[in-house]
Amino acid sequence: MIMDSCSNLDILMSCKAEPDVEAAGARRGTETSPMPTGRMATIRVAISRVRPQLFTPHGVLIGLYNHRKGLSQWTDVKEKAVVDLFHGEVDEVMRELENVEGEARRCYAHLPDPILCSEQSSFSHMLLHDGCYLLSLFVKYETNAPQYPETAAGGVSDGAVVRDTVFLLENQIPLLVLDKIHQLVTGDTDSCVLESISVAVQGLLQAQLYISKKPQPAPQQSSHLLHLVHHYFQPTNPPPERAGNTARRTGRWRRATEYRCHGNVRFKPEDLVEGKESTILDVSYQVGTLWIPRLQVNSNTWTILRNLMALEEQMTRRPVTAYCVFLSQVAGTVEDVKLLVRAGIVQQFLSSEKQVAQDLANLLTGVVLDVDNLDQNYLKPIWHDLDMRCNKWVNRFMGTCREQHCRNGLYTIAFVITAILFACGLLQAVFAVLSYKYKK
């Protein structure tokens, strides 16, 4: 069997996601040394359980935590994926998967069911069916049937399939399993499926405007699909820390309206330029202007950000969490959201700006971040620059004048006319005094 290089991007990129609720996570995980390019790496982060309901799949049930519930409408779909790849001859495949079962179990932070953990055939059966189904979404082989989301049982939409298989931390299986199945399909023990999956994931994130349209190489190692997504979310040019700020404490971000009023800060949208590597995390500050990449806000936005934050609780660097802290505190009220919407930074597709503000304010429920640690908070230098700007009286005066007297064009014209009339009246009074004193 020979692998075709194309992937099912046309299916993965036509997504409109289902709603979700709130976030929390368990801290756990380790990092290992890099693996040689071309081979699947050892696991860096675990697949952990995250509650409450936010992280529960809506349709597609994948992995150990949902294995008992998996005997449902998706059984036939997954069985069909196995038949299409192996034509029903799975005995040898099952033996190969049983050889990696111990390593696959160690990829999960929690083993919830002692009975399931003792049933080797049941666990390997789950790995085979879920792995073949995921490969049917991301890699097109010569033996593949039509793509499964189009014929999915229960009428689950493409967007729900993408949400459940890519963005949910609990709903994952290790990529080493996909790599093993891929090698059995192609007959090439040196091949690695990560490259093909990386192309599909990049296309998905580009279509949803989370990263720019510039191809990036696949990472040398990745644990599962959400971990792969996190790799492409990294800020490309984080601001450097200034020497004078290392001893100063970092505080809470001010609201966007406060930065505008007290610091005379301008908010400008940063576009993801095609051909230049950039992500929505590339926030920058330049001479009174805060540049923030455009963000499309829908229900899927919170799913992605919260699952990535839960994943980062196992890591040293936490850029997505730092970005969410910034966004939640800067735009946590309706007035702030309206300011960012007018600036073109937030493109909201929810019911109202009030709903966006509520969701942003609740984004950090259960999240803890060391804001003074530059490894965790890459936006720390920008906070200090903005704080220093807001503490200067000139900026406070200019910001207050612009906020109160120059809100729009009419206000600006009226303010200029008033200032001219005041200046003329002042000159007239000065000349009147001078003419009285110096009568000549």
Side-chain angles (χ1 to χ4, degrees), residues 1 11 29 117 125 166 188 191 336 347 379 424:
M1 303 179 187
I11 293 174
C117 293
H125 182 274
V166 179
D188 184 0
S191 63
D336 303 318
Q347 299 174 333
L379 293 174
C424 292

Side-chain angles (χ1 to χ4, degrees), residues 158-178:
D158 292 357
V161 171
V162 171
R163 173 192 183 273
D164 289 351
T165 58
V166 179
F167 297 126
L168 300 186
L169 179 57
E170 285 190 0
N171 213 40
Q172 302 285 334
I173 68 169
L175 277 179
L176 67 91
V177 175
L178 300 185

Side-chain angles (χ1 to χ4, degrees), residues 94-268:
M94 289 290 290
R95 284 192 292 270
E96 292 290 338
L97 289 180
E98 288 171 1
N99 292 334
V100 300
E101 185 212 356
E103 188 175 359
R105 286 189 186 278
R106 288 191 292 272
C107 298
Y108 291 91
H110 310 90
L111 296 178
D113 191 341
I115 298 178
L116 175 61
C117 293
S118 64
E119 296 177 357
Q120 184 182 45
S121 60
S122 176
F123 186 80
S124 301
H125 182 274
M126 178 271 292
L127 294 179
L128 174 64
H129 284 67
D130 289 354
C132 289
Y133 173 74
L134 290 176
L135 285 177
S136 73
L137 297 178
F138 292 100
V139 183
K140 186 172 183 179
Y141 301 95
E142 287 188 352
T143 56
N144 258 15
Q147 288 76 17
Y148 294 98
E150 298 177 351
T151 59
V156 180
S157 67
D158 292 357
V161 171
V162 171
R163 173 192 183 273
D164 289 351
T165 58
V166 179
F167 297 126
L168 300 186
L169 179 57
E170 285 190 0
N171 213 40
Q172 302 285 334
I173 68 169
L175 277 179
L176 67 91
V177 175
L178 300 185
D179 193 53
K180 189 66 176 179
I181 296 175
H182 171 74
Q183 293 174 6
L184 294 173
V185 172
T186 61
D188 184 0
T189 57
D190 292 326
S191 63
C192 183
V193 76
L194 184 58
E195 185 68 41
S196 297
I197 294 178
S198 297
V199 173
V201 169
Q202 284 186 70
L204 172 65
L205 297 178
Q206 289 167 0
Q208 296 187 350
L209 302 181
Y210 291 114
I211 63 175
S212 61
K213 292 184 178 181
K214 181 181 180 180
Q216 302 179 39
Q220 290 187 344
Q221 58 181 4
S222 191
S223 307
H224 45 76
L225 290 177
L226 184 64
H227 189 205
L228 181 60
V229 169
H230 183 268
H231 169 78
Y232 293 112
F233 260 76
Q234 303 302 303
T236 59
N237 189 25
E241 185 170 26
R242 301 182 188 276
N245 293 337
T246 55
R248 297 178 59 211
R249 298 285 296 178
T250 305
R252 177 186 173 89
W253 292 92
R254 300 174 188 243
R255 294 169 48 196
T257 50
E258 291 177 340
Y259 279 124
R260 185 179 63 176
C261 181
H262 302 314
N264 194 29
V265 176
R266 295 174 295 276
F267 291 85
K268 298 290 184 181

